Amino acid sequence: MKKLLACTGALAALMALAPVSNAKAADLTLCWAAWDPANALVELSKDFTAQTGTEMKFEFVPWPNFADRMLNELNSGGKLCDLLIGDSQWIGGSAENGYYVKLNDFFDKEGIKMSDFAPATVYAYSTWPKGTPNYWALPAMGDANGWFYRKDWFANPDLQKEYKAKYNRDLAPPKTWDELKETAEFFQGREIDGKKVYGAAIFTERASEGITMGATSALYPYGFKYENTPGKYDMEGAVNSADAVAGLEMYKAIYKCCTPPGYTDSYMGEGLDAFKSGQVAMMMNWFAFMPGMAKDENVGSKTGFFVNPSAKVAASTLGGQGISVVANTDNMDGALAYIKWFAQPEVQKKWWSLGGYACHNAVLNDPGFKDSQPFAAQFLEAMGGVQDFWQEPSYAQLLQAMQKRLHDYVVADQGTAKEALDGLIQDWTAIFKEEGKL
């Protein structure tokens, strides 16, 4: 990934002063990743076109290339995107470099209130500096890392009896990482329906963000922190605490004991393939894929969902994104009109019904929400304990350092968990020193 600081101050200033559009109303391009929710957004946006006459165009990039493609677009001052649904971790750099339009005045003018959206999503997707009332995006797509499981296998009477005899508890979705490991071990190498199966599909991908998003799903519940004091970059004893070491050791243990053969560079797509083909009993993946899985003609009726297991605390790795107006747009009026339209409660309700994860309280607080989908209650629970990666301007460098350290330890079997996390502190310290923050 390219460093988000590539733009000079002069270029950032010019981008921030980009002129109001002279483009036709029929020309508005929204950029995002290529995945199931993007297809739902295309369907939803037909209503915007019908109401305004604005033709919506879409640029969807596969996840492994999404960050490179979009960060390069922003760094170069390109004009591809009028609207961008960008990852939460891009907020810091995009705000400081003038890539996104600050939306406070627009929100005030149009009566759009951040208090109408789930607090965790406002904090993660919209604010910079973090937690301040400075808004650079509207919460668009709530998401967290969760788990899928073969509920037909879990309900098998013979397997239930064997599991109960071995572990003295029912075969059910695991609530802790210890239970997750034992359940994965129970299924590993077992023959079901005449086919050898494996315990779990987890994230191990090296190039973009995969293994970081996977390993933090263990690290956060065990007590990993980025800093001892928020905003102080004091990482010693937080990143490499004894609890953090235990969490990383657990993630490696599950990788070594219970994943399919050759599972060394796998992320969302590989996990979905393994689960749909009946290779694994459980799969780590984003809530974003649950609507599609629930409707899958082959395994939909056999699939259940559970929240990321706990350890010392209940915690889930945050996914999801906000929608921002790109400061370099030639259609400022059209882009802002889309934000206003998308923020409406009725639009948010339809967004949820189509397979998007609305962040609006009118949706999430509806009495019928928990029963509206087989994963809705779990989504609410997960979003109550989400934690996110650094949202610093140097996000891309910070991420690549963690990707390497984690992959070297978990997959390449180099060194210890403590050595990996100690090395990560060294990497991150050098990055923050270069930025003048240490």
Side-chain angles (χ1 to χ4, degrees):
M1 295 184 184
K2 307 300 181 184
K3 187 177 180 184
L4 204 55
L5 291 172
C7 180
T8 66
L11 178 56
L14 287 172
M15 291 172 67
L17 295 172
V20 173
S21 169
N22 292 320
K24 296 179 181 179
D27 184 10
L28 195 63
T29 300
L30 188 154
C31 299
W32 199 9
W35 60 336
D36 290 350
N39 300 327
L41 188 63
V42 171
E43 185 65 27
L44 180 71
S45 297
K46 292 177 182 177
D47 291 348
F48 177 75
T49 297
Q51 293 174 27
T52 65
T54 301
E55 178 186 351
M56 292 298 298
K57 299 179 181 179
F58 300 92
E59 183 73 17
F60 297 148
V61 181
W63 271 111
N65 311 111
F66 179 54
D68 266 348
R69 178 70 180 87
M70 289 300 131
L71 296 183
N72 285 336
E73 177 70 18
L74 294 173
N75 284 336
S76 67
K79 291 182 174 289
L80 172 65
C81 311
D82 301 297
L83 295 155
L84 174 60
I85 302 181
D87 264 342
S88 56
Q89 300 96 341
W90 305 356
I91 281 284
S94 295
E96 292 192 7
N97 289 315
Y99 298 157
Y100 291 167
V101 173
K102 189 176 181 181
L103 296 171
N104 289 59
D105 290 345
F106 174 72
F107 286 167
D108 290 344
K109 176 185 174 183
E110 299 297 340
I112 298 172
K113 299 178 181 179
M114 288 292 95
S115 59
D116 288 337
F117 293 82
T121 67
V122 174
Y123 178 88
Y125 305 152
S126 302
T127 65
W128 187 263
K130 297 316 300 174
T132 67
N134 296 284
Y135 305 121
W136 305 89
L138 184 82
M141 174 71 189
D143 202 5
N145 207 7
W147 290 82
F148 304 55
Y149 74 100
R150 284 295 298 264
K151 63 182 182 181
D152 56 332
W153 298 358
F154 277 59
N156 182 295
D158 293 334
L159 295 179
Q160 287 183 331
K161 182 178 179 180
E162 182 182 344
Y163 189 92
K164 183 73 174 256
K166 185 171 184 178
Y167 296 111
N168 196 31
R169 65 173 183 272
D170 292 334
L171 177 55
K175 296 184 180 300
T176 68
W177 275 84
D178 284 333
E179 290 181 3
L180 178 72
K181 181 174 181 288
E182 289 176 350
T183 304
E185 288 173 332
F186 178 78
F187 281 103
Q188 183 74 4
R190 184 177 294 275
E191 185 173 302
I192 297 179
D193 298 331
K195 181 178 180 180
K196 186 176 182 179
V197 304
Y198 303 93
I202 62 174
F203 297 160
T204 60
E205 182 260 2
R206 169 68 178 83
S208 63
E209 64 174 14
I211 198 167
T212 297
M213 298 298 103
T216 52
S217 294
L219 286 166
Y220 295 151
Y222 273 84
F224 170 94
K225 299 292 183 185
Y226 292 94
E227 308 164 280
N228 290 294
T229 311
K232 297 297 185 181
Y233 307 99
D234 50 347
M235 297 172 282
E236 182 66 39
V239 170
N240 61 350
S241 68
D243 291 332
V245 169
L248 186 53
E249 288 174 341
M250 172 61 79
Y251 197 74
K252 180 173 182 174
I254 291 177
Y255 167 72
K256 291 183 72 70
C257 79
C258 306
T259 54
Y263 211 73
T264 60
D265 193 34
S266 301
Y267 196 18
M268 308 177 217
E270 291 79 9
L272 293 168
D273 289 344
F275 190 82
K276 290 181 179 180
S277 63
Q279 294 182 55
V280 292
M282 299 177 292
M283 172 188 63
M284 162 188 286
N285 223 317
W286 301 104
F287 272 83
F289 293 108
M290 291 183 183
M293 188 67 75
K295 298 175 183 176
D296 186 87
E297 60 182 13
N298 294 319
V299 297
S301 63
K302 305 172 184 177
T303 302
F305 310 97
F306 62 95
V307 175
N308 191 52
S310 65
K312 293 189 68 176
V313 298
S316 298
T317 296
L318 180 75
Q321 302 88 24
I323 182 169
S324 298
V325 175
V326 179
N328 210 28
T329 179
D330 286 329
N331 193 352
M332 185 69 70
D333 291 342
L336 291 171
Y338 188 91
I339 296 286
K340 178 182 178 181
W341 168 81
F342 187 75
Q344 297 175 89
E346 292 307 311
V347 174
Q348 290 284 301
K349 290 176 182 178
K350 186 170 183 179
W351 175 223
W352 169 250
S353 73
L354 291 172
Y357 279 79
C359 304
H360 201 289
N361 290 329
V363 179
L364 303 179
N365 294 342
D366 186 292
F369 179 79
K370 289 185 177 181
D371 297 322
S372 63
Q373 295 285 0
F375 42 79
Q378 292 89 335
F379 173 66
L380 280 183
E381 182 181 349
M383 293 302 290
V386 288
Q387 298 184 37
D388 199 10
F389 189 76
W390 295 106
Q391 294 190 359
E392 296 286 327
S394 55
Y395 146 76
Q397 287 179 299
L398 297 165
L399 177 61
Q400 282 305 297
M402 193 166 191
Q403 282 285 107
K404 183 179 189 308
R405 293 290 183 180
L406 294 181
H407 200 273
D408 283 352
Y409 168 67
V410 174
V411 177
D413 206 20
Q414 297 178 12
T416 67
K418 181 66 161 58
E419 289 169 345
L421 295 174
D422 287 345
L424 186 58
I425 291 177
Q426 295 174 8
D427 299 338
W428 285 352
T429 297
I431 294 168
F432 287 130
K433 281 184 176 179
E434 182 180 348
E435 285 195 316
K437 294 182 175 179
L438 283 175

